[in-house]
Each structure stands twice: as structure tokens, then as C-alpha cells.
Amino acid sequence: MSGLVVLAVDDEPPALDELRYLLDRQDEVAEVHDATDATGALRELNSRRVDAIFLDINMPGLSGLELAGVLARYAQPPAIVFVTAHEDKAVDAFEVGAVDYLLKPLREVRLAQALGRVRASLDARAKPAASTPPPAPSGAPRAASDDVIPVEMSGVTSLVRRDSISWVEAVGDYARLHAESGAHLVRIPLSTLESRWQDKGFARVHRSYLVALPMVTGLRTTGSGTVVSVRANGASEAVELPVSRRQVRDLKDRLIRDPLRQYRSPAGRGDV
């Protein structure tokens, strides 16, 4: 694939000029076009091929998030990167399919990382049809929004893969993810992660804890109850977490049942 054709969208002229300037400096970028609102952005998208759109969130008329919702209906939408001064919209941004979320003021190194993610997203989309799953039926929810969690560290938004997380701890209305890369506090209640991930290999073991079943090494009865052992994972150390009494039976059942779901009976009569 040749250099990227990108569209910069911001309703503030100084911010748009800076974004254009920084994008023009990137070797990955072949062309930069711009628009000051959603209407102009759609006009540009309908007049030429655009690989990626770098999009402000707060704009008159359609917001950046609303525009992303419109683009999601395109047969081949551009990769979306949000560029904003607002830290609190990251989860919403990734739920509408953004590949990255950049905070103002922009740094060239982060812009380069975002372009790398754009390239990876486009390359994955261009793989032969035989190696890609069939498209979801019309009206089906978009996939992958739960595969990663955006986290903020020192003004930089990073993506933590769900499959890199060992366990999650409730911290009021927040949750602390314990992953290969370390501990990350996110503004998502534990109950929300439980409902999203209960069919993705995670189990609620206590009002304060959610664990990844593949990371569990065993259960142990103590004088005060039952604890579940979770193995070390990168920067996340091995731990033992309490299991509420009402969760013990379900946890034992899932630890046995879930690994067996991949096997089917020889006669094809269903799951073991």
C-alpha cells in the first residue's frame, strides 16, 4: 500500500492548521485534506478515497462521535483517530471503532504511533477473504470494541488488550486492570466489565474482583473461606483473591466446563 491519504477535521482553524502541519511531516502520509465540520468531512469523503480521518470530538452540528457513527455504516469506512482535548471520551471513542485517541496538544511521536495503528488496521482489512471471518449480519453489534480497553497514563492513551488482563479490582466507580503491562485504573464500573466479559472467559468471584479463567491456577480452602490463585503475568504478580461463598460453586463449574467447550462428541451430538 502507498502513502496514506488522510482527512483532518477540526472546527478551530489554529488546531486544524497544526494538525495538517504535523500530518504533512509524517513519512507515512501522502496527502492531507481538511474540513471544519462533519458536513465538510462527508463532502471530502464522498469525493475521494480517504484512508484515515483525524477527527475532533466537539464540533458544531454533528459531533465527532456522531460522525463516526455515520461512517460505521460505510462499506469500507476510513480508519478513525480522535484528536481532542477531552480525556473523558476515550471509552466512547473506542466503542464506535476508533483505532486511536490522541490528546491535545499533539506530540509527533504519538501521531506516528497512531499512523502505525491506522496502517495495521488497513492491512488487516486488506487480508484475503479466506483468512478473515464472514461479515456480521445487518444490524449486528460491531465487534472488537471490548477487545481492548483505553487507559490514560501521563497524558498518553494506550490500549490494554483484554486477553492480557489477569484480574480486575473494583475501586469505587472505577476498576483497576491487572495486566501484563501493569495496573491501570479506568473509569468503568466492575459490573460493566462483568456483563461485557462474562462470555469472554472472565468470572466474578467476589463483589470486588473479576478474574480471567485461563489465568487461574487453583482454588484453596482456608479457615476463613475459599481463595482463587491467579498466576503471575508480566508486570502483574501472582495473587490469591477471596471467593464469595455464593460464587464458589459457579467458579468450580466454569473452571471445569469452559475448557471442555472446545471439544465435541465424535457423533457431533453437541458440546461435552
Side-chain angles (χ1 to χ4, degrees), residues 87-181:
E87 298 183 5
D88 60 341
K89 299 295 184 181
V91 172
D92 294 332
F94 287 103
E95 285 183 345
V96 295
V99 300
D100 210 341
Y101 187 91
L102 306 182
L103 292 176
K104 299 176 181 177
L106 287 176
R107 296 185 299 119
E108 288 195 61
V109 64
R110 273 296 283 126
L111 190 58
Q113 291 172 356
L115 287 165
R117 288 173 178 162
V118 166
R119 176 68 75 183
S121 174
L122 296 176
D123 287 347
R125 190 186 301 176
K127 286 181 180 179
S131 63
T132 58
S138 176
R142 290 175 59 87
S145 61
D146 288 341
D147 290 344
V148 295
I149 292 289
V151 300
E152 293 290 334
M153 294 187 297
S154 303
V156 176
T157 302
S158 300
L159 302 182
V160 175
R161 298 190 332 273
R162 184 183 60 218
D163 61 12
S164 76
I165 297 170
S166 298
W167 57 286
V168 186
E169 173 186 10
V171 185
D173 291 333
Y174 290 68
R176 181 172 287 113
L177 313 175
H178 294 268
E180 287 180 4
S181 53

Coordinates of all heavy atoms in Angstrom, one line a residue, residues 87-181:
E87 N -10.3 14.2 27.9 CA -9.8 12.8 28.3 C -11.0 11.9 28.6 O -10.8 10.7 28.5 CB -9.0 12.9 29.6 CG -7.7 13.7 29.4 CD -6.9 13.7 30.7 OE1 -7.2 13.0 31.6 OE2 -5.8 14.4 30.8
D88 N -12.2 12.4 28.8 CA -13.2 11.5 29.3 C -14.1 10.9 28.2 O -15.1 10.2 28.5 CB -14.2 12.3 30.2 CG -14.8 13.5 29.5 OD1 -14.3 13.9 28.4 OD2 -15.9 14.0 30.0
K89 N -13.7 11.0 27.0 CA -14.5 10.4 25.9 C -13.8 9.2 25.3 O -14.2 8.7 24.3 CB -14.7 11.4 24.8 CG -15.5 12.6 25.3 CD -16.9 12.3 25.7 CE -17.7 13.5 26.0 NZ -19.1 13.2 26.5
A90 N -12.7 8.7 25.9 CA -11.9 7.6 25.3 C -12.7 6.3 25.1 O -12.7 5.7 24.1 CB -10.6 7.3 26.1
V91 N -13.5 6.0 26.2 CA -14.3 4.7 26.1 C -15.3 4.8 25.0 O -15.5 3.9 24.1 CB -14.9 4.4 27.4 CG1 -15.9 3.3 27.3 CG2 -13.9 4.1 28.5
D92 N -16.0 6.0 24.9 CA -17.0 6.2 23.8 C -16.3 6.1 22.4 O -16.9 5.6 21.5 CB -17.7 7.6 24.0 CG -18.5 7.7 25.2 OD1 -19.0 6.6 25.7 OD2 -18.6 8.8 25.8
A93 N -15.1 6.7 22.3 CA -14.4 6.7 21.1 C -14.1 5.3 20.6 O -14.3 4.9 19.4 CB -13.1 7.5 21.2
F94 N -13.6 4.4 21.5 CA -13.3 3.1 21.0 C -14.5 2.2 20.8 O -14.5 1.3 20.0 CB -12.3 2.4 22.1 CG -10.9 3.0 22.0 CD1 -10.5 3.9 22.9 CD2 -10.1 2.6 20.9 CE1 -9.2 4.4 22.8 CE2 -8.8 3.2 20.8 CZ -8.4 4.1 21.7
E95 N -15.6 2.6 21.5 CA -16.9 1.8 21.2 C -17.4 2.1 19.8 O -18.2 1.3 19.3 CB -17.9 2.2 22.3 CG -17.6 1.5 23.7 CD -18.7 1.8 24.7 OE1 -19.5 2.8 24.5 OE2 -18.7 1.1 25.7
V96 N -17.1 3.2 19.2 CA -17.5 3.5 17.8 C -16.4 3.1 16.8 O -16.5 3.4 15.6 CB -17.9 5.0 17.6 CG1 -19.1 5.3 18.5 CG2 -16.7 5.9 17.9
G97 N -15.4 2.3 17.3 CA -14.5 1.7 16.4 C -13.2 2.5 16.1 O -12.5 2.2 15.1
A98 N -12.9 3.5 16.9 CA -11.6 4.3 16.7 C -10.4 3.4 16.9 O -10.4 2.4 17.7 CB -11.6 5.4 17.7
V99 N -9.4 3.6 16.1 CA -8.1 2.9 16.2 C -7.2 3.5 17.2 O -6.2 2.9 17.7 CB -7.4 2.6 14.9 CG1 -8.4 1.9 13.9 CG2 -7.0 3.9 14.2
D100 N -7.4 4.8 17.5 CA -6.5 5.5 18.5 C -7.3 6.8 18.9 O -8.3 7.2 18.4 CB -5.2 5.9 17.9 CG -4.1 5.9 18.9 OD1 -4.4 6.0 20.1 OD2 -2.9 5.8 18.5
Y101 N -6.7 7.4 20.0 CA -7.3 8.5 20.7 C -6.2 9.4 21.2 O -5.4 9.0 22.1 CB -8.2 8.0 21.9 CG -9.0 9.0 22.6 CD1 -10.3 9.2 22.2 CD2 -8.5 9.7 23.7 CE1 -11.1 10.1 22.9 CE2 -9.3 10.6 24.4 CZ -10.6 10.8 24.0 OH -11.4 11.7 24.6
L102 N -6.0 10.6 20.5 CA -4.9 11.4 20.8 C -5.4 12.7 21.6 O -6.4 13.2 21.3 CB -4.2 11.9 19.5 CG -3.8 10.8 18.5 CD1 -3.1 11.4 17.3 CD2 -2.8 9.8 19.2
L103 N -4.6 13.0 22.6 CA -4.9 14.2 23.4 C -4.1 15.4 22.9 O -2.9 15.3 22.6 CB -4.6 14.0 24.9 CG -5.5 12.9 25.6 CD1 -5.1 12.7 27.0 CD2 -7.0 13.4 25.5
K104 N -4.8 16.6 22.8 CA -4.1 17.8 22.5 C -3.4 18.3 23.8 O -3.9 18.1 24.9 CB -5.1 18.9 22.1 CG -5.9 18.5 20.8 CD -6.9 19.6 20.5 CE -7.7 19.2 19.2 NZ -8.8 20.2 19.0
P105 N -2.2 19.0 23.7 CA -1.5 19.3 22.4 C -0.8 18.0 21.9 O -0.4 17.2 22.6 CB -0.5 20.3 22.9 CG -0.2 20.0 24.3 CD -1.6 19.6 24.8
L106 N -0.8 17.9 20.5 CA -0.3 16.7 19.9 C 1.2 16.7 20.0 O 1.9 17.7 20.0 CB -0.7 16.8 18.4 CG -2.1 16.5 18.1 CD1 -2.4 16.6 16.6 CD2 -2.5 15.1 18.5
R107 N 1.7 15.4 20.1 CA 3.2 15.2 20.0 C 3.4 14.3 18.8 O 2.6 13.4 18.5 CB 3.6 14.5 21.3 CG 3.5 15.3 22.5 CD 4.1 14.6 23.7 NE 3.4 13.4 24.0 CZ 4.1 12.2 24.0 NH1 5.3 12.1 23.7 NH2 3.4 11.1 24.3
E108 N 4.5 14.6 18.1 CA 4.7 13.9 16.8 C 4.9 12.4 17.0 O 4.5 11.6 16.2 CB 6.0 14.5 16.1 CG 5.7 15.9 15.5 CD 6.7 16.3 14.5 OE1 6.9 15.6 13.5 OE2 7.4 17.3 14.8
V109 N 5.5 12.0 18.2 CA 5.8 10.6 18.4 C 4.4 9.9 18.6 O 4.3 8.7 18.1 CB 6.7 10.4 19.6 CG1 6.0 10.9 20.9 CG2 7.1 8.9 19.8
R110 N 3.4 10.5 19.2 CA 2.1 9.9 19.4 C 1.4 9.8 18.0 O 0.7 8.9 17.7 CB 1.3 10.6 20.4 CG 1.5 10.1 21.8 CD 1.1 8.7 22.0 NE -0.4 8.5 22.1 CZ -1.1 7.7 21.4 NH1 -0.5 6.9 20.5 NH2 -2.4 7.6 21.6
L111 N 1.6 10.9 17.2 CA 0.9 10.9 15.9 C 1.5 9.8 15.1 O 0.7 9.1 14.3 CB 1.2 12.2 15.3 CG 0.4 12.5 14.0 CD1 -1.1 12.4 14.2 CD2 0.8 13.9 13.4
A112 N 2.8 9.5 15.1 CA 3.4 8.4 14.4 C 2.9 7.1 14.8 O 2.6 6.2 14.0 CB 4.9 8.5 14.5
Q113 N 2.7 6.9 16.2 CA 2.1 5.7 16.7 C 0.7 5.5 16.2 O 0.3 4.4 15.8 CB 2.1 5.7 18.2 CG 3.5 5.6 18.8 CD 3.5 5.8 20.3 OE1 2.4 6.1 20.9 NE2 4.6 5.7 21.0
A114 N -0.1 6.6 16.1 CA -1.5 6.5 15.6 C -1.5 6.1 14.2 O -2.3 5.2 13.7 CB -2.2 7.8 15.8
L115 N -0.6 6.6 13.4 CA -0.5 6.3 12.0 C -0.1 4.8 11.8 O -0.5 4.1 10.9 CB 0.5 7.2 11.2 CG 0.0 8.6 11.0 CD1 1.1 9.5 10.6 CD2 -1.1 8.6 9.9
G116 N 0.8 4.3 12.7 CA 1.1 2.9 12.6 C -0.1 2.0 12.9 O -0.3 1.0 12.3
R117 N -1.0 2.4 13.8 CA -2.2 1.7 14.1 C -3.2 1.8 12.9 O -3.9 0.8 12.6 CB -2.8 2.2 15.4 CG -2.0 1.8 16.6 CD -2.6 2.4 17.9 NE -1.8 1.9 19.0 CZ -1.8 2.5 20.2 NH1 -2.5 3.6 20.4 NH2 -1.0 2.0 21.2
V118 N -3.2 2.9 12.3 CA -4.0 3.0 11.1 C -3.5 2.1 10.0 O -4.3 1.3 9.4 CB -4.0 4.5 10.5 CG1 -4.5 4.5 9.1 CG2 -4.7 5.4 11.5
R119 N -2.2 2.0 9.8 CA -1.7 1.1 8.8 C -2.0 -0.3 9.1 O -2.4 -1.1 8.3 CB -0.2 1.3 8.7 CG 0.6 0.4 7.8 CD 0.2 0.7 6.3 NE 0.9 1.9 5.8 CZ 0.7 2.4 4.6 NH1 -0.1 1.7 3.8 NH2 1.3 3.4 4.2
A120 N -1.8 -0.7 10.4 CA -2.1 -2.1 10.8 C -3.6 -2.4 10.6 O -3.9 -3.5 10.2 CB -1.7 -2.3 12.3
S121 N -4.5 -1.5 10.9 CA -5.9 -1.7 10.7 C -6.2 -1.9 9.2 O -7.0 -2.8 8.9 CB -6.7 -0.5 11.3 OG -8.1 -0.6 11.0
L122 N -5.6 -1.1 8.4 CA -5.9 -1.2 6.9 C -5.3 -2.4 6.4 O -5.9 -3.1 5.5 CB -5.3 0.0 6.2 CG -6.0 1.4 6.6 CD1 -5.3 2.5 5.9 CD2 -7.5 1.4 6.2
D123 N -4.1 -2.8 6.8 CA -3.5 -4.1 6.4 C -4.4 -5.3 6.7 O -4.5 -6.2 6.0 CB -2.1 -4.2 6.9 CG -1.1 -3.2 6.3 OD1 -1.4 -2.6 5.3 OD2 0.0 -3.1 6.9
A124 N -4.9 -5.3 8.0 CA -5.7 -6.4 8.4 C -7.0 -6.5 7.6 O -7.5 -7.5 7.2 CB -6.1 -6.2 9.9
R125 N -7.5 -5.3 7.2 CA -8.7 -5.3 6.4 C -8.5 -5.8 5.0 O -9.4 -6.3 4.3 CB -9.3 -3.8 6.3 CG -10.6 -3.7 5.7 CD -11.0 -2.2 5.6 NE -11.0 -1.5 6.9 CZ -11.2 -0.2 7.0 NH1 -11.4 0.5 5.9 NH2 -11.2 0.4 8.1
A126 N -7.2 -5.6 4.5 CA -6.9 -6.0 3.1 C -6.5 -7.4 3.0 O -6.2 -7.9 1.9 CB -5.8 -5.1 2.6
K127 N -6.5 -8.2 4.1 CA -6.1 -9.6 4.0 C -7.1 -10.4 3.1 O -8.2 -10.0 3.0 CB -6.0 -10.3 5.4 CG -4.8 -9.8 6.2 CD -4.9 -10.5 7.6 CE -3.7 -10.1 8.4 NZ -3.7 -10.8 9.7
P128 N -6.6 -11.5 2.5 CA -7.5 -12.2 1.6 C -8.8 -12.7 2.4 O -8.7 -13.0 3.6 CB -6.7 -13.5 1.2 CG -5.3 -13.0 1.3 CD -5.3 -12.0 2.5
A129 N -9.9 -12.7 1.6 CA -11.2 -13.1 2.3 C -11.1 -14.4 3.0 O -11.8 -14.6 4.0 CB -12.3 -13.1 1.2
A130 N -10.3 -15.4 2.5 CA -10.3 -16.7 3.1 C -9.7 -16.7 4.5 O -10.0 -17.6 5.3 CB -9.4 -17.6 2.2
S131 N -8.9 -15.7 4.8 CA -8.3 -15.7 6.1 C -9.1 -14.8 7.1 O -8.7 -14.6 8.2 CB -6.9 -15.1 6.0 OG -6.9 -13.8 5.6
T132 N -10.2 -14.2 6.6 CA -11.0 -13.3 7.5 C -12.3 -13.9 7.8 O -12.9 -14.7 7.0 CB -11.2 -11.9 6.8 OG1 -11.9 -12.1 5.6 CG2 -9.9 -11.2 6.6
P133 N -12.9 -13.6 9.0 CA -14.2 -14.2 9.3 C -15.3 -13.6 8.4 O -15.1 -12.5 7.9 CB -14.4 -13.8 10.8 CG -13.6 -12.6 10.9 CD -12.4 -12.8 10.0
P134 N -16.4 -14.2 8.2 CA -17.5 -13.7 7.4 C -18.1 -12.4 8.1 O -18.0 -12.2 9.3 CB -18.6 -14.8 7.4 CG -18.3 -15.6 8.7 CD -16.8 -15.5 8.8
P135 N -18.6 -11.5 7.3 CA -19.2 -10.2 7.8 C -20.3 -10.5 8.7 O -21.1 -11.5 8.5 CB -19.6 -9.5 6.6 CG -19.8 -10.5 5.5 CD -18.8 -11.6 5.8
A136 N -20.5 -9.6 9.7 CA -21.7 -9.8 10.6 C -22.9 -9.4 9.9 O -22.9 -8.6 9.0 CB -21.5 -8.8 11.8
P137 N -24.1 -10.1 10.3 CA -25.3 -9.8 9.6 C -25.7 -8.3 9.9 O -25.3 -7.7 10.9 CB -26.3 -10.8 10.2 CG -25.7 -11.2 11.5 CD -24.2 -11.1 11.3
S138 N -26.6 -7.8 9.0 CA -27.0 -6.4 9.1 C -27.7 -6.2 10.5 O -28.5 -7.0 10.9 CB -28.0 -6.1 8.0 OG -28.5 -4.8 8.2
G139 N -27.3 -5.1 11.2 CA -27.9 -4.9 12.5 C -27.2 -5.5 13.6 O -27.5 -5.2 14.8
A140 N -26.2 -6.3 13.4 CA -25.4 -6.9 14.4 C -24.5 -5.9 15.1 O -24.0 -5.0 14.4 CB -24.6 -8.1 13.9
P141 N -24.2 -6.0 16.4 CA -23.3 -5.1 17.0 C -21.9 -5.2 16.5 O -21.5 -6.2 16.0 CB -23.3 -5.5 18.5 CG -23.8 -6.9 18.5 CD -24.7 -7.1 17.3
R142 N -21.2 -4.1 16.4 CA -19.8 -4.0 16.0 C -18.9 -4.8 16.9 O -19.1 -4.7 18.1 CB -19.3 -2.6 15.9 CG -19.9 -1.8 14.8 CD -19.5 -0.4 14.8 NE -18.0 -0.3 14.7 CZ -17.4 -0.3 13.5 NH1 -18.1 -0.3 12.4 NH2 -16.1 -0.2 13.4
A143 N -18.0 -5.6 16.4 CA -17.1 -6.4 17.2 C -15.9 -5.6 17.6 O -15.7 -4.5 17.1 CB -16.7 -7.7 16.4
A144 N -15.1 -6.1 18.5 CA -13.8 -5.6 18.8 C -13.8 -4.4 19.8 O -12.7 -4.1 20.3 CB -13.0 -5.3 17.6
S145 N -15.0 -3.8 20.0 CA -14.9 -2.7 20.9 C -14.5 -3.1 22.4 O -14.0 -2.3 23.1 CB -16.3 -2.0 21.0 OG -17.3 -2.8 21.4
D146 N -14.8 -4.4 22.7 CA -14.4 -4.9 24.0 C -13.1 -5.6 24.0 O -12.6 -6.1 25.1 CB -15.5 -5.8 24.6 CG -16.8 -5.1 25.0 OD1 -16.7 -3.8 25.2 OD2 -17.8 -5.7 25.0
D147 N -12.4 -5.7 22.9 CA -11.2 -6.5 22.8 C -10.0 -5.7 23.4 O -9.0 -6.3 23.8 CB -10.8 -6.8 21.4 CG -11.8 -7.9 20.8 OD1 -12.5 -8.5 21.6 OD2 -11.8 -8.0 19.6
V148 N -10.2 -4.4 23.5 CA -9.2 -3.5 24.1 C -9.8 -2.5 25.0 O -11.0 -2.2 24.8 CB -8.3 -2.8 23.0 CG1 -7.5 -3.7 22.2 CG2 -9.2 -1.9 22.1
I149 N -9.1 -2.1 26.0 CA -9.6 -1.0 26.9 C -8.6 0.2 26.8 O -7.4 0.0 27.0 CB -9.6 -1.5 28.4 CG1 -10.7 -2.6 28.5 CG2 -9.9 -0.4 29.3 CD1 -12.1 -2.1 28.4
P150 N -9.1 1.4 26.5 CA -8.2 2.5 26.5 C -7.8 3.0 27.9 O -8.7 3.1 28.8 CB -9.0 3.6 25.8 CG -10.4 3.2 26.0 CD -10.5 1.7 26.1
V151 N -6.6 3.2 28.2 CA -6.1 3.7 29.5 C -5.3 4.9 29.3 O -4.6 5.1 28.3 CB -5.4 2.6 30.3 CG1 -6.2 1.4 30.5 CG2 -4.1 2.2 29.6
E152 N -5.4 5.9 30.3 CA -4.6 7.1 30.2 C -3.4 7.0 31.2 O -3.6 6.6 32.4 CB -5.4 8.3 30.7 CG -6.6 8.6 29.7 CD -6.0 9.2 28.4 OE1 -4.9 9.8 28.4 OE2 -6.7 9.0 27.3
M153 N -2.2 7.3 30.7 CA -1.0 7.3 31.5 C -0.2 8.5 31.1 O 0.3 8.6 30.0 CB -0.2 6.0 31.4 CG -0.9 4.8 31.9 SD 0.2 3.3 31.9 CE 0.5 3.1 30.1
S154 N -0.1 9.5 32.0 CA 0.7 10.7 31.8 C 0.3 11.4 30.5 O 1.2 11.8 29.7 CB 2.2 10.3 31.8 OG 2.6 9.7 32.9
G155 N -1.0 11.5 30.3 CA -1.5 12.2 29.1 C -1.4 11.4 27.8 O -1.8 11.9 26.8
V156 N -1.0 10.1 27.9 CA -0.9 9.3 26.7 C -2.0 8.2 26.8 O -2.1 7.5 27.8 CB 0.5 8.6 26.5 CG1 0.5 7.7 25.4 CG2 1.5 9.7 26.4
T157 N -2.8 8.0 25.8 CA -3.8 6.9 25.7 C -3.1 5.7 25.2 O -2.6 5.7 24.1 CB -5.0 7.3 24.9 OG1 -5.5 8.5 25.4 CG2 -6.0 6.2 24.9
S158 N -3.2 4.6 25.9 CA -2.7 3.3 25.5 C -3.8 2.3 25.5 O -4.9 2.5 26.1 CB -1.6 2.8 26.4 OG -0.5 3.7 26.4
L159 N -3.7 1.2 24.7 CA -4.7 0.2 24.6 C -4.2 -1.0 25.4 O -3.1 -1.6 25.1 CB -5.0 -0.2 23.2 CG -5.4 1.0 22.3 CD1 -5.7 0.5 20.9 CD2 -6.6 1.7 22.8
V160 N -5.0 -1.5 26.3 CA -4.7 -2.8 27.0 C -5.6 -3.8 26.5 O -6.8 -3.7 26.5 CB -5.0 -2.6 28.5 CG1 -4.8 -3.9 29.3 CG2 -4.0 -1.5 29.1
R161 N -5.0 -4.9 25.9 CA -5.8 -6.0 25.4 C -6.5 -6.8 26.5 O -5.9 -7.0 27.5 CB -4.9 -7.0 24.6 CG -4.2 -6.4 23.4 CD -3.5 -7.4 22.5 NE -3.1 -8.6 23.3 CZ -2.0 -8.7 23.9 NH1 -1.1 -7.7 23.9 NH2 -1.7 -9.9 24.5
R162 N -7.7 -7.1 26.2 CA -8.5 -7.9 27.2 C -7.8 -9.2 27.5 O -7.7 -9.7 28.7 CB -9.9 -8.2 26.7 CG -10.8 -9.0 27.7 CD -12.1 -9.3 27.1 NE -12.0 -10.1 25.9 CZ -12.7 -10.0 24.8 NH1 -13.6 -9.1 24.7 NH2 -12.5 -10.8 23.8
D163 N -7.1 -9.9 26.5 CA -6.5 -11.2 26.7 C -5.2 -11.0 27.5 O -4.5 -12.0 27.8 CB -6.3 -11.9 25.4 CG -5.5 -11.2 24.4 OD1 -4.8 -10.2 24.8 OD2 -5.4 -11.7 23.3
S164 N -4.8 -9.8 27.8 CA -3.5 -9.6 28.6 C -3.9 -9.3 30.1 O -3.0 -9.2 30.9 CB -2.7 -8.4 28.0 OG -3.3 -7.2 28.4
I165 N -5.2 -9.3 30.4 CA -5.6 -9.0 31.8 C -5.8 -10.3 32.6 O -6.4 -11.2 32.1 CB -6.9 -8.2 31.7 CG1 -6.7 -6.8 31.0 CG2 -7.4 -7.9 33.1 CD1 -7.9 -6.1 30.7
S166 N -5.2 -10.3 33.8 CA -5.3 -11.4 34.7 C -6.5 -11.3 35.6 O -7.2 -12.3 35.8 CB -4.0 -11.6 35.5 OG -2.9 -11.8 34.7
W167 N -6.7 -10.1 36.2 CA -7.8 -9.9 37.1 C -8.1 -8.4 37.2 O -7.3 -7.6 36.8 CB -7.6 -10.5 38.5 CG -6.3 -10.0 39.2 CD1 -5.0 -10.3 38.9 CD2 -6.3 -9.2 40.3 NE1 -4.2 -9.7 39.8 CE2 -4.9 -9.0 40.7 CE3 -7.3 -8.5 41.1 CZ2 -4.5 -8.2 41.8 CZ3 -6.9 -7.8 42.2 CH2 -5.5 -7.6 42.5
V168 N -9.3 -8.1 37.7 CA -9.8 -6.7 37.7 C -10.3 -6.5 39.2 O -11.0 -7.3 39.7 CB -10.9 -6.5 36.7 CG1 -11.2 -5.0 36.7 CG2 -10.5 -6.9 35.3
E169 N -10.0 -5.3 39.7 CA -10.3 -5.0 41.0 C -11.3 -3.8 41.0 O -11.0 -2.8 40.3 CB -9.0 -4.7 41.8 CG -9.2 -4.1 43.2 CD -7.8 -3.7 43.7 OE1 -6.8 -3.7 43.0 OE2 -7.8 -3.4 44.9
A170 N -12.3 -3.8 41.8 CA -13.2 -2.7 41.9 C -12.6 -1.6 42.8 O -12.1 -1.9 43.9 CB -14.6 -3.1 42.5
V171 N -12.7 -0.3 42.3 CA -12.2 0.8 43.1 C -13.3 1.9 43.0 O -13.2 2.8 42.2 CB -10.9 1.4 42.6 CG1 -10.4 2.5 43.5 CG2 -9.8 0.3 42.4
G172 N -14.4 1.7 43.8 CA -15.5 2.6 43.7 C -16.2 2.5 42.4 O -16.5 1.3 42.0
D173 N -16.4 3.6 41.7 CA -17.0 3.5 40.3 C -15.9 3.3 39.2 O -16.2 3.3 38.1 CB -17.7 4.9 40.0 CG -18.9 5.0 40.9 OD1 -19.5 4.0 41.3 OD2 -19.3 6.2 41.1
Y174 N -14.7 3.0 39.7 CA -13.6 2.7 38.7 C -13.3 1.2 38.8 O -13.8 0.5 39.7 CB -12.4 3.5 39.1 CG -12.5 5.0 38.8 CD1 -13.3 5.8 39.5 CD2 -11.7 5.6 37.8 CE1 -13.4 7.2 39.2 CE2 -11.8 7.0 37.5 CZ -12.7 7.8 38.2 OH -12.8 9.1 38.0
A175 N -12.4 0.8 37.9 CA -11.8 -0.6 38.0 C -10.3 -0.5 37.7 O -9.9 0.3 36.9 CB -12.5 -1.5 37.0
R176 N -9.6 -1.3 38.5 CA -8.1 -1.4 38.2 C -7.8 -2.7 37.5 O -8.1 -3.8 38.0 CB -7.3 -1.3 39.5 CG -5.8 -1.4 39.3 CD -5.1 -1.1 40.6 NE -5.1 0.3 41.0 CZ -5.7 0.8 42.1 NH1 -6.4 -0.1 42.9 NH2 -5.7 2.1 42.4
L177 N -7.3 -2.6 36.3 CA -6.9 -3.7 35.5 C -5.5 -4.2 35.8 O -4.6 -3.4 35.8 CB -7.0 -3.4 34.0 CG -8.2 -2.6 33.5 CD1 -8.0 -2.2 32.0 CD2 -9.5 -3.4 33.7
H178 N -5.4 -5.5 36.1 CA -4.0 -6.0 36.4 C -3.7 -6.8 35.2 O -4.2 -7.9 35.0 CB -4.1 -6.9 37.7 CG -4.3 -6.0 38.9 ND1 -3.4 -5.5 39.7 CD2 -5.5 -5.6 39.5 CE1 -3.9 -4.8 40.7 NE2 -5.2 -4.9 40.6
A179 N -2.7 -6.3 34.4 CA -2.4 -6.9 33.1 C -0.9 -7.1 33.0 O -0.1 -6.8 33.9 CB -2.9 -6.0 32.0
E180 N -0.5 -7.7 31.8 CA 0.9 -7.9 31.5 C 1.7 -6.6 31.7 O 2.8 -6.6 32.2 CB 1.1 -8.4 30.1 CG 0.7 -9.8 29.9 CD 0.9 -10.2 28.4 OE1 1.4 -9.4 27.7 OE2 0.5 -11.3 28.1
S181 N 1.1 -5.5 31.3 CA 1.8 -4.2 31.3 C 1.8 -3.5 32.7 O 2.4 -2.4 32.8 CB 1.2 -3.3 30.2 OG -0.2 -3.2 30.4

